[in-house]
Amino acid sequence: MNPADVHLDVQLGRLRLVNPIMVASGTFGYAREMAGLVDMDRLGGILPKTITFDPRPGNPPPRTIETASGMLNSIGLDNDGIESFIERQLPYLASLGTAIVVSVAGRSEQEFIRMAARLDGLPGVAALELNISCPNVTGGVDFGTDPAMCQRLVAGIRHTCSLPVLAKLTPNVTDISQIARAAEAGGADAISLINTCLGMAVDWRRRRPILGNVLGGLSGPAIKPIALGAVYRVARAVGVPLVGTGGIASIDDVMEFLVAGATAVQIGTANFYHPTVSMQILDALPAALGELGATCVADVVGTIGSG
Ligand SMILES: Cc1cc2nc3c(=O)[nH]c(=O)nc-3n(C[C@H](O)[C@H](O)[C@H](O)COP(=O)(O)O)c2cc1C
């Protein structure tokens, strides 16, 4: 297969991406920070840092710490609120030639819906990702751990807003497939998984937690097997497309997620230590798909056999 003949575009429900490589919320700022390093127009999509209705200062420092094979963060959705986002960040994001999937988090169903209604129809907003999975704030994660609340929230947003909706799930549940089925029943166009895994770091000499908020979310290479397992299981439970996230840092990682059942991927923590990783992955993607005899991304999605 000639790599030039491989089609990279993918469909996430009503959202079409020119390729399956996106960057994950909270790891790419509002994109401006990465200009000069990354050719934004080549990306399949950008997820800016999650926004909330009101500005939030986030959690007390320290808020990040390196671990043996990843990082722990307890940022706590530090952001300037939706109106500041629309005024200060969206014009730049809208000028980029890629899909902007705005990540939103509400403290209540009403707040989620108010945010979705406000963003609906604004130039440059291609879709919403519902962050119902941040381990570092109280409240919002309930929508990602209770199937009935999850379904009602997604349905409520579908009812009031015409944008495609992605639901981003947490791995910090007993059965992620159950939550995924609820998101699908509510009308989600696609399901993103996973957000970070709850963890902590300890300074034993001081007998203290290291993070100011005590607990944080683990990300990076350490969580890739957890994310792959989640994608594999959820792919067997729902019919909607999946977006795989967790420890992706190379073309091999991307191919593993696609074969396991993801239609697209998001690169997160790797952006911090290898800012051009998404470009290298895009360079390598057509040949990797061609190696499996694929003419398009869909040809490999979920094609994994049994052990
Ligand atoms: C510093 C940091 C901040 C994050 N902030 C957000 C956020 O605002 N919203 C969100 O949905 N996910 C957030 N995440 C989670 C990532 O988007 C991603 O789901 C997770 O880190 C797993 O992917 P990775 O291992 O490739 O980083 C954050 C992750 C990190 C490391």
Side-chain angles (χ1 to χ4, degrees):
M1 180 59 53
N2 182 347
D5 296 333
V6 179
H7 298 283
L8 296 182
D9 54 311
V10 294
Q11 198 70 38
L12 299 175
R14 293 167 293 161
L15 176 66
R16 187 183 162 277
L17 303 178
V18 291
N19 68 63
I21 309 300
M22 299 194 271
V23 286
S25 182
T27 66
F28 207 74
Y30 295 101
R32 222 189 291 259
E33 300 87 328
M34 305 299 273
L37 288 169
V38 173
D39 182 354
M40 310 283 175
D41 295 355
R42 289 188 63 201
L43 290 169
I46 293 176
L47 286 101
K49 171 77 184 164
T50 297
I51 52 168
T52 52
F53 195 81
D54 296 313
R56 279 179 61 93
N59 289 324
R63 307 203 288 192
T64 57
I65 178 152
E66 229 175 281
T67 71
S69 53
M71 71 182 280
L72 267 173
N73 91 82
S74 61
I75 307 289
L77 301 187
D78 180 341
N79 80 102
D80 293 335
I82 190 169
E83 290 307 327
S84 169
F85 172 79
I86 291 169
E87 191 186 322
R88 302 207 180 135
Q89 311 294 351
L90 192 54
Y92 174 73
L93 290 162
S95 76
L96 303 174
T98 184
I100 304 300
V101 179
V102 179
S103 171
V104 295
R107 283 168 299 192
S108 64
E109 194 178 320
Q110 290 71 20
E111 208 173 71
F112 263 108
I113 287 172
R114 275 172 82 189
M115 293 179 81
R118 180 75 179 91
L119 292 163
D120 198 5
L122 291 185
V125 181
L128 298 180
E129 184 175 82
L130 311 182
N131 180 357
I132 52 174
S133 46
C134 180
N136 300 317
V137 294
T138 47
V141 81
D142 296 344
F143 296 104
T145 57
D146 179 319
M149 281 177 76
C150 176
Q151 181 172 342
R152 215 179 66 190
L153 175 71
V154 176
I157 287 177
R158 281 299 311 268
H159 193 68
T160 44
C161 164
S162 64
L163 292 165
V165 175
L166 283 64
K168 183 169 179 182
L169 304 189
T170 173
N172 306 315
V173 290
T174 308
D175 182 3
I176 195 167
S177 300
Q178 209 190 354
I179 312 293
R181 276 194 292 267
E184 179 180 50
D189 286 87
I191 292 168
S192 300
L193 64 174
I194 57 176
N195 209 315
T196 54
C197 301
L198 196 62
M200 83 180 282
V202 171
D203 180 344
W204 68 267
R205 290 195 170 81
R206 291 175 56 240
R207 303 177 210 237
R208 288 266 189 282
I210 294 178
L211 292 173
N213 199 44
V214 182
L215 296 172
L218 182 64
S219 63
I223 72 166
K224 193 183 87 173
I226 300 172
L228 275 172
V231 165
Y232 180 83
R233 285 174 66 202
V234 171
R236 270 145 195 77
V238 301
V240 290
L242 307 182
V243 180
T245 311
I248 296 175
S250 69
I251 182 63
D252 290 328
D253 296 336
V254 170
M255 294 303 291
E256 290 169 24
F257 274 86
L258 297 182
V259 167
T263 295
V265 297
Q266 292 175 10
I267 299 165
T269 300
N271 292 311
F272 292 127
Y273 60 87
H274 188 180
T276 56
V277 64
S278 50
M279 299 292 107
Q280 288 183 8
I281 286 174
L282 275 164
D283 290 340
L285 186 59
L289 290 166
E291 211 179 305
L292 295 186
T295 56
C296 64
V297 177
D299 283 350
V300 305
V301 172
T303 54
I304 194 166
S306 53

